[in-house]
Amino acid sequence: MSRPSLEQLAQRLRDIPFFEDLDDAIMLDLIRSTQWREYKSGEVIVLEGQAQPDLYYLDYGYVKVVKVSPSGREQTLRVLEPGDTFNEISVFASRPNPATAVALEPAGVYLIRHEALARLLREHPNFAGSVIETMAERMLFLVSLVSDLSLRPVTGRLARLLLESAVGDVVPRPRWFTQAELAARLGTVPDVVQRSLRSLEVDGLIVVERQHIHLLDRTALERIAA
């Protein structure tokens, strides 16, 4: 995919809550400091523990944010879609990266410079307030993730993920949407995911195909997810 123009970037950034109220002059100054980067499938974008103070805006592709245990087991914290930002902790809390971000497919990102963001925080209280709200939402998301992993069985977590990922009653399965990736998102291992998928399919709640998962009974899946 081609790199978007600065005008297209400005329009897309306005869909992000903490950028939406910036006037045209401030937005132009912000995007002039950006850098464009492209990553191959499987390439590390951000490495846990590194000091990388810039904000990433994902223009195309999918990216996973993961924690990796010493044994190599992954726990996926988020799967990022085009239009998402990441690395906020490093930017706004001045801390090393708490997780690793890896491209699931070819991805294009803009780096928004820390210096420009720090200036916005100092000079524009509304921007600072929006950043605080965004960080609070991320905290609530992580609390929900911890709750799911500790209190909800795997089949319940799977049902919830399918419901959240569905477009209508269909969950797309891009090439990277493997059982191993599902296991990393659900905090388990591929064999357990396979059994859970098979159980839902035998019960007539889903149909698993190579490129899609069809949801046949949303009400029953919602009960399991709850």
Side-chain angles (χ1 to χ4, degrees):
M1 296 181 67
S2 61
R3 172 180 175 175
S5 66
L6 292 184
E7 291 77 12
Q8 290 172 322
L9 175 60
Q11 185 175 5
R12 294 172 190 180
L13 287 181
R14 290 199 185 281
D15 291 331
I16 299 172
F18 49 75
F19 292 130
E20 62 183 357
D21 293 329
L22 298 182
D23 64 39
D24 292 341
I26 295 172
M27 178 65 80
L28 182 60
D29 185 54
L30 177 70
I31 62 178
R32 280 175 174 166
S33 71
T34 61
Q35 285 190 350
W36 174 256
R37 293 186 181 175
E38 295 179 343
Y39 296 89
K40 299 176 182 178
S41 177
E43 191 171 357
V44 172
I45 301 173
V46 170
L47 185 64
E48 180 178 354
Q50 279 188 340
Q52 169 52 276
D54 299 323
L55 183 69
Y56 288 77
Y57 170 80
L58 180 60
D59 186 74
Y60 68 81
Y62 283 80
V63 170
K64 64 178 178 179
V65 180
V66 300
K67 296 284 287 186
V68 183
S69 73
S71 65
R73 180 171 169 178
E74 288 186 359
Q75 171 63 57
T76 299
L77 304 179
R78 295 174 63 198
V79 173
L80 303 164
E81 302 179 353
D84 285 336
T85 59
F86 58 103
N87 203 43
E88 287 90 348
I89 295 294
S90 293
V91 176
F92 300 120
S94 299
R95 302 285 185 183
N97 302 318
T100 295
V102 182
L104 289 166
E105 58 184 48
V109 301
Y110 270 102
L111 270 69
I112 304 174
R113 289 301 184 187
H114 175 266
E115 295 80 6
L117 295 167
R119 186 166 61 251
L120 285 175
L121 285 173
R122 291 193 304 268
E123 299 175 0
H124 300 278
N126 288 343
F127 175 78
S130 295
V131 168
I132 292 171
E133 289 181 9
T134 298
M135 299 293 280
E137 288 173 359
R138 296 285 166 82
M139 179 65 72
L140 290 172
F141 171 81
L142 291 175
V143 169
S144 175
L145 176 61
V146 171
S147 176
D148 265 5
L149 292 175
S150 59
L151 301 176
R152 197 185 305 269
V154 171
T155 303
R157 301 202 295 271
L158 174 60
R160 181 174 178 177
L161 178 60
L162 293 175
L163 288 165
E164 292 175 346
S165 303
V167 179
D169 289 326
V170 177
V171 179
R173 297 186 70 185
R175 183 176 297 179
W176 50 264
F177 197 95
T178 62
Q179 289 187 8
E181 288 296 341
L182 264 178
R185 294 178 71 175
L186 298 172
T188 186
V189 294
D191 286 349
V192 175
V193 170
Q194 185 176 20
R195 288 198 296 270
S196 294
L197 284 169
R198 182 59 182 158
S199 174
L200 294 177
E201 194 165 28
V202 167
D203 290 342
L205 307 186
I206 64 173
V207 171
V208 180
E209 298 178 350
R210 187 177 184 86
Q211 295 182 330
H212 302 91
I213 298 175
H214 297 269
L215 310 188
L216 303 182
D217 191 336
R218 275 183 165 272
T219 301
L221 288 169
E222 288 167 357
R223 277 200 304 271
I224 294 170

